[in-house]
Amino acid sequence: MKIKEVKIKPSFTSRGDETIESTVVLEGGIQATATAPAGASTGETEVIHMPKGGFQEILKNFKKEKIIGVEAGDLKAVYEALVSINGSEKFEKIGGATAFAVSVAAVAAESIAEGQPMYKLIGLAPQIPFPLGNVLGGGKHAGPGSPDIQEFLSAPVGAKSAFEAVSLNLKVHKEVRKEIEKRDPTFAGGKGDEGAWAPKVTDEEALEIVRTAIDRVSKEYGVRIIMGVDMASSTLYNNGYYVYSRKGKKLDKEGQLAYVEEIIKKYELKYVEDPFNDDDFYSFAELTKSVNSLIVGDDLFTTNYERLKKGVSLKAGNGVILKVNQVGTLYQAKLFADLAHKSNYVVITSHRSGDVCEGYLADIAVGMGSGLMKSGVVGGERMSKLIRLVRINEENENIELWRPNV
């Protein structure tokens, strides 16, 4: 159906950052609303979330007549209309938040009009991903005294359903707290932006805590659960060195490679995100060649088609983070996911640390053929996506769950 009206309003993410909410109304009166999330650890090549001047600047620049009459379910047409409104695909005038909110709301409205789930309208072969949950946090998502490494992650890839996988991640999260309290009986239960525990421990202590919790839950329930980390290394990188300020360590490029290889081996890490600075394609390639783990680029690729092309040519990594708001629209994210699949990279569709309560991420993850959905473990804005993933799985037994080869 054609778009009859587009409304945009200011809103807030779970972290309290200003963002954009959009309601798209179709000719038949059907409408849907979507709100854009926002990250704390962002790549240099991401589109700008909000322009200077915030909502008032967006309102001044958003010429909605250019999108009225466009087919809501046509991802490319919506993208082209938004680029026409902004004048470029950088979205520096209307903000990536506006592009995201309008793009997602348009497809959500079309899915209601057609009586089809949103993931079907994305157009790639669907797949049920496993939830990848942040169970212990540090870096930009937590406070001083927490680990330098940003996220310590759990993914129950041996689960027989999305429901079982979500349940197991919740159990790991609870076991992590128990392990923290054994080391620090005064732990007050502090959490970071994504609901992960934020204790005052070193990176190595955090790795031990999470490894122990995962092994305990995996053994008790007889299900394989892999452990991973998001190192967010671009946030550690300064003048050619990786600075682990919270533990007083400083590593050059070679030292960082050796350190990452060491913790992969010692803690059996099967998922490592952003182990190097966001321009170091060559170290990504070297690590990918030396280990049997998912080596995942987030800040390296920023859901950018051209950057992924370069990564593929250099064999840098074997997994990609897909965040629609890094590029703005579902159409651009779909092109990125398609290239990843054709290049044998695993797609990991991800939330942002400042998220929203809508559950659209699950439809996007399934529709993009993702192997994993990075969506946190606890909290209303995280649980909405997990519950939606569970319902998609329950209602579509013909869609297969991802099976990892690591």
Side-chain angles (χ1 to χ4, degrees):
M1 281 189 172
K2 290 182 179 179
I3 295 172
K4 178 182 179 182
E5 176 66 275
V6 177
K7 304 171 187 175
I8 56 172
K9 296 179 180 180
S11 190
F12 298 99
T13 69
S14 61
R15 197 175 43 238
D17 295 326
E18 188 177 354
T19 191
I20 295 297
E21 171 192 295
S22 175
T23 299
V24 171
V25 185
L26 306 186
E27 284 184 333
I30 288 170
Q31 63 183 46
T33 299
T35 312
S41 174
T42 56
E44 290 292 327
T45 55
E46 289 188 34
V47 296
I48 296 169
H49 175 65
M50 297 275 281
K52 289 181 180 178
F55 178 69
Q56 292 305 316
E57 184 67 15
I58 293 170
L59 206 57
K60 183 177 75 176
N61 294 321
F62 190 71
K63 311 299 182 186
K64 65 182 180 181
E65 61 271 12
K66 292 187 176 183
I67 200 169
I68 303 301
V70 170
E71 288 289 338
D74 188 333
L75 270 59
K76 186 177 182 182
V78 170
Y79 153 76
E80 289 173 342
L82 288 165
V83 169
S84 175
I85 290 169
N86 187 83
S88 79
E89 61 178 21
K90 294 180 180 179
F91 299 119
E92 70 278 13
K93 294 179 182 177
I94 65 171
T98 303
F100 174 97
V102 174
S103 171
V104 174
V107 177
E110 182 68 18
S111 76
I112 297 170
E114 292 190 21
Q116 295 280 353
M118 182 176 155
Y119 70 82
K120 284 191 176 180
L121 303 184
I122 291 173
L124 296 179
Q127 182 171 235
I128 302 293
F130 288 101
L132 176 65
N134 186 3
V135 293
L136 192 153
K140 281 197 170 185
H141 294 170
S146 64
D148 288 292
I149 293 174
Q150 189 160 279
E151 297 175 7
F152 300 81
L153 302 154
S154 166
V157 298
K160 295 181 177 63
S161 68
F163 183 88
E164 183 183 24
V166 171
S167 176
L168 289 167
N169 263 353
L170 288 165
K171 288 176 171 60
V172 171
H173 189 264
K174 290 173 183 176
E175 286 298 321
V176 166
R177 177 163 186 171
K178 291 178 186 177
E179 285 300 309
I180 293 168
E181 290 174 338
K182 285 180 184 177
R183 290 164 171 79
D184 180 9
T186 67
F187 178 61
K191 296 178 184 176
D193 289 337
E194 299 176 359
W197 304 115
K200 190 174 183 178
V201 296
T202 66
D203 288 329
E204 284 65 32
E205 287 172 327
L207 287 161
E208 299 255 0
I209 287 167
V210 176
R211 181 74 268 168
T212 300
I214 285 176
D215 287 347
R216 184 177 296 136
V217 174
S218 180
K219 183 178 180 181
E220 182 176 352
Y221 293 92
V223 176
R224 185 186 181 214
I225 304 173
I226 62 171
M227 178 176 167
V229 292
D230 175 2
M231 302 192 74
S233 292
S234 294
T235 65
L236 305 173
Y237 193 72
N238 186 27
N239 293 324
Y241 290 92
Y242 295 91
V243 182
Y244 292 82
S245 58
R246 301 178 189 186
K247 60 184 175 186
K249 183 186 278 189
K250 187 176 178 182
L251 301 174
D252 61 13
K253 184 167 70 171
E254 291 73 22
Q256 177 74 355
L257 175 60
Y259 175 60
V260 176
E261 287 177 331
E262 176 191 334
I263 62 172
I264 287 174
K265 182 178 180 181
K266 184 174 181 180
Y267 298 102
E268 298 180 66
L269 304 180
K270 289 299 181 180
Y271 177 101
V272 181
E273 184 180 330
D274 283 350
F276 305 102
N277 186 38
D278 57 13
D279 276 326
D280 194 354
F281 287 85
Y282 296 98
S283 291
F284 266 86
E286 196 168 346
L287 181 63
T288 306
K289 187 169 58 177
S290 71
V291 299
N292 179 32
S293 299
L294 278 176
I295 306 303
V296 180
D298 177 12
D299 293 344
L300 184 73
F301 298 126
T302 59
T303 320
N304 182 290
Y305 185 89
E306 293 301 324
R307 288 183 71 85
L308 180 54
K309 273 178 66 177
K310 179 178 179 179
V312 168
S313 71
L314 297 171
K315 298 182 180 178
N318 51 17
V320 297
I321 289 287
L322 183 148
K323 295 173 177 172
V324 176
N325 81 317
Q326 287 182 324
V327 285
T329 69
L330 283 169
Y331 176 70
Q332 293 160 288
K334 179 184 174 181
L335 293 179
F336 177 84
D338 193 38
L339 175 60
H341 289 304
K342 288 175 180 176
S343 307
N344 296 315
Y345 279 58
V346 175
V347 174
I348 299 100
T349 294
S350 177
H351 64 168
R352 302 308 300 255
S353 54
D355 220 305
V356 296
C357 289
E358 296 142 5
Y360 296 131
L361 186 77
D363 281 88
I364 295 169
V366 173
M368 296 289 180
S370 308
L372 294 164
M373 183 177 83
K374 195 178 182 191
S375 51
V377 178
V378 295
E381 74 280 9
R382 318 292 162 180
M383 196 57 68
S384 63
K385 296 152 183 62
L386 294 167
I387 295 300
R388 175 61 185 151
L389 180 66
V390 167
R391 299 300 175 237
I392 293 172
N393 184 207
E394 289 173 345
E395 294 162 11
N396 298 274
E397 294 181 358
N398 58 317
I399 302 179
E400 294 185 358
L401 277 77
W402 176 64
R403 293 301 172 194
N405 59 5
V406 293

